[in-house]
Amino acid sequence: TWVELGLDAAPGDSSERRKLRGVLIKLAADTLWDDAELLALARAKFHAAVAEGDLNALGADVRGSVFRIVVHADGAQPWEQLLALHDRTADSPLKLDIYEGLGGG
């Protein structure tokens, strides 16, 4: 389950485990975005990354899903934060993940 894998990669994770984490979190974002544990963890990760100004601190395998969960649950404020961060980055993979988050609101 997503709970067993968490949102953070662990040292020594295989590529298969990273892919599985991404798939499970994406499915959870689609179906469990209102799960209290998932939402609390996604919010904490999102707000820490925004505060640090480093959205790449979130693993690329879960970043878009984290954005989508938080935007879906919290609406305008994270949507506006992602839009502003989008305008300040030239990182194409990050922009794609931001688009995923923006589309989830």
Side-chain angles (χ1 to χ4, degrees), residues 5-27:
L5 294 174
L7 292 181
D8 296 314
D13 274 356
S14 66
S15 62
E16 291 82 15
R17 189 171 177 89
R18 288 190 303 272
K19 287 177 189 173
L20 179 60
R21 178 181 295 105
V23 168
L24 289 177
I25 296 302
K26 189 172 191 110
L27 288 171

Side-chain angles (χ1 to χ4, degrees), residues 20-42:
L20 179 60
R21 178 181 295 105
V23 168
L24 289 177
I25 296 302
K26 189 172 191 110
L27 288 171
D30 290 340
T31 59
L32 299 173
W33 62 268
D34 60 347
D35 175 84
E37 185 177 0
L38 178 61
L39 183 53
L41 189 54

Side-chain angles (χ1 to χ4, degrees), residues 9-84:
D13 274 356
S14 66
S15 62
E16 291 82 15
R17 189 171 177 89
R18 288 190 303 272
K19 287 177 189 173
L20 179 60
R21 178 181 295 105
V23 168
L24 289 177
I25 296 302
K26 189 172 191 110
L27 288 171
D30 290 340
T31 59
L32 299 173
W33 62 268
D34 60 347
D35 175 84
E37 185 177 0
L38 178 61
L39 183 53
L41 189 54
R43 280 178 174 146
K45 295 288 185 185
F46 176 81
H47 292 298
V50 169
E52 293 171 11
D54 183 15
L55 297 181
N56 284 313
L58 292 165
D61 54 342
V62 299
R63 187 172 52 207
S65 296
V66 167
F67 295 164
R68 193 159 39 128
I69 292 165
V70 175
V71 167
H72 191 92
D74 296 344
Q77 182 179 5
W79 197 92
E80 292 292 335
Q81 289 172 307
L82 284 176
L83 189 59

